[in-house]
Amino acid sequence: MDAKTLKEIEVKLLEQKKDLETELNKLSSQGATGREANFQNIGTDEDDNAQEVSNFSDQLSLVAELSKHLEDVEKALKKVKDGSYGICKYCKKEIDPRRLLARPDSGSCVECKAALQGDAS
């Protein structure tokens, strides 16, 4: 991969990291065991309590998803720094730069990802 493309991808990864951290900071706080979703206290009656539980459940899922995405972005940035970025973790071949431009945190090539998902023909 050429240096210009790698730099473009690194910029995208840094932007994603910033956006994910901002979103996670809105939805959660850093606890002793990692990110913990914030619990919103709406009120004291039964309907309010049900809404609080529903909101918290949705927030837990979203925080987990965003945390995983942030972890993937941070792994990709580490690989950019150590020179191992753009190599498929399964087949060890170079990942098409077009895939990396579209999804910079990807750790696998299209063929391996399809095979893992059962989409290979």
Side-chain angles (χ1 to χ4, degrees), residues 2 5 18 27 32 65 69 80 93 104 107:
D2 64 83
T5 303
K18 181 182 172 196
L27 299 172
E65 186 178 322
H69 192 185
V80 168
K93 294 179 184 173

Side-chain angles (χ1 to χ4, degrees), residues 20 24 59-71:
L20 289 165
L24 278 166
Q59 213 162 339
L60 279 174
S61 297
L62 184 56
V63 166
E65 186 178 322
L66 290 171
S67 294
K68 174 65 175 121
H69 192 185
L70 179 59
E71 183 180 312

